[in-house]
Amino acid sequence: MTGSLALLLTVLLAAAPAPPPARQPAPKAARPPRPPAADPPEPAAPPSPGTTTDFGTWSVGCDNTLRCTAASHLEAGPGATWVVIRREGGPRAEPEILVAASGTAPAALAIDAATLPAARVKAGLSRATDYPLEPRATRPFLEKALAGKRLAALDRVGDVIGTVPLLDLPDALKAMDEAQHREGTVTALVAKGKRSAAAVPAPPPLPVVVARPLPAPRSEELSAEEVAALGAVSGCELKAEGGPASVAPLDEARVLVLVVCVRREVDALTVPVLLDRAGGTWHASLPAFDYPPPQRYGSGPALVDGFFDHQTATLRDGSPGGPKGQRLWAWDGAGFRLTSATAPAGGAEPISVWRAAVRPK
């Protein structure tokens, strides 16, 4: 009996559930390794404006976003007429075409004496003498222009205002196709192929210039010592025909002075100088440019018809139709950053060779 009870107790103990294991402390989560310190941002590459190339009576140029322009040269004589063909980069961009004349607005266009259907955009004209083509008319126009010899702009009674040679247009547009990497694709204007539009790369992004806001305009007077320093820093002899042209405040301590060095028959040459009046003293120096003006005078960069627009905070060099084009810079607190550059094209329409977006700081 005693043995049976012992056996029964042994069986019951074996069938009883085992006690839960003792709770162990949860392991501490491993601390993730500290990420390495970020490298300082690379300085922005200096601007590199493009150039224009002549193809007979046409010029072609592209800017840093692959916006390309083909512009015809002006022919001598009355009734100057020109054509501008502009196209953005990227697979979906279509060409934009503008025909313009000096003095009289074209009422119709003809290629090799064959009048084209009316295709003028009625709204949004920037100039009364412009004849921008409707988007649906650009391809038919290009087909006829590429096969033609001469385009004529006609007035309301059908008389010729002016003409534009077309024989060099195929070479000009082929250069545009190559610059935008369209050759061999269905998007090309001349160098057509069977490859799809997806083969055309997207355009480079538009660089951004962060402009520093300017203080409200204020009257600035220069002391005799400051005027003398302007001459020493700019290298200009401040004679009767020279002297400071304009003074513009950039912040509470610094002002920009455009020193007129030479007055010529058609323009003036100026040198920009910074005057820093911080701490009750003053110091004159030449400003920094990420892309210096192409001309120099004395020891510093020189501007043709230099002008500082306080409203847009931009410094201007040259004119759009000038022999060296035009450049615009924005003040970012440390120097002047290039925001726009155009190049002459042998005609009345300048070609964009550099663009940047401007954002306030």
Side-chain angles (χ1 to χ4, degrees), residues 35-351:
D39 294 331
E42 292 291 333
S48 180
T51 58
T52 57
T53 303
D54 289 342
F55 296 89
T57 57
W58 288 75
S59 292
V60 175
C62 302
D63 64 20
N64 49 308
T65 67
L66 292 186
R67 172 197 276 179
C68 294
T69 304
S72 65
H73 298 180
L74 290 179
E75 290 191 314
T81 302
W82 62 97
V83 178
V84 179
I85 302 172
R86 184 177 293 113
R87 194 178 195 183
E88 302 286 344
R92 297 183 179 180
E94 287 294 328
E96 300 173 355
I97 301 175
L98 170 74
V99 181
S102 60
T104 303
L109 305 176
I111 295 180
D112 296 340
T115 304
L116 303 179
R120 179 174 181 167
V121 176
K122 300 298 183 182
L125 301 184
S126 58
R127 296 173 297 199
T129 54
D130 286 353
Y131 190 110
L133 270 64
E134 296 175 351
R136 62 181 177 83
T138 56
R139 290 286 181 169
F141 173 88
L142 287 174
E143 290 178 4
K144 295 182 181 299
L146 287 169
K149 298 179 179 179
R150 185 168 290 271
L151 177 139
L154 311 176
D155 61 18
R156 294 184 180 277
V157 297
D159 292 336
V160 176
I161 300 172
T163 63
V164 175
L166 299 174
L167 292 177
D168 299 308
L169 180 60
D171 290 337
L173 295 187
K174 184 174 184 292
M176 281 181 57
D177 286 341
E178 293 172 351
Q180 295 182 327
H181 309 289
R182 299 183 186 279
E183 64 270 32
T185 73
V186 294
T187 72
L189 301 178
V190 175
K192 294 181 180 293
K194 295 182 179 180
R195 292 191 298 154
S196 70
V200 179
L206 195 66
V208 177
V209 171
V210 180
R212 183 167 182 170
L214 300 180
R218 62 179 184 264
S219 177
E220 296 284 350
E221 294 185 1
L222 302 177
S223 66
E225 292 81 5
E226 289 174 330
V227 171
L230 292 176
V233 171
S234 65
C236 303
E237 296 182 11
L238 303 185
K239 299 179 180 179
E241 72 275 10
S246 63
V247 181
L250 299 178
D251 53 33
E252 295 305 319
R254 290 174 292 182
V255 296
L256 173 69
V257 184
L258 298 182
V259 182
V260 179
C261 297
V262 178
R263 292 191 187 276
R264 301 183 288 207
E265 185 176 351
V266 295
D267 56 29
L269 204 61
T270 63
V271 172
V273 178
L274 283 181
L275 275 179
D276 190 340
R277 294 165 167 169
T281 61
W282 60 267
H283 173 71
S285 62
L286 297 173
F289 288 88
D290 62 350
Y291 181 80
Q295 56 277 324
R296 297 182 67 83
Y297 186 91
S299 58
L303 309 174
V304 176
D305 288 335
F307 176 75
F308 185 76
D309 188 333
H310 190 277
Q311 184 174 1
T312 61
T314 54
L315 180 63
R316 185 189 70 198
D317 171 40
S319 60
K324 293 186 178 181
Q326 184 184 70
R327 286 145 297 281
L328 299 176
W329 292 268
W331 171 253
D332 70 351
F336 288 99
R337 300 276 307 279
L338 187 69
T339 61
S340 172
T342 62
E349 197 76 21
I351 291 179

Side-chain angles (χ1 to χ4, degrees), residues 6-36:
L7 179 61
L8 179 59
L9 289 174
T10 301
V11 172
L12 291 175
L13 289 174
R23 179 174 294 181
Q24 300 294 327
K28 294 183 179 180
R31 178 175 295 177
R34 178 176 296 178

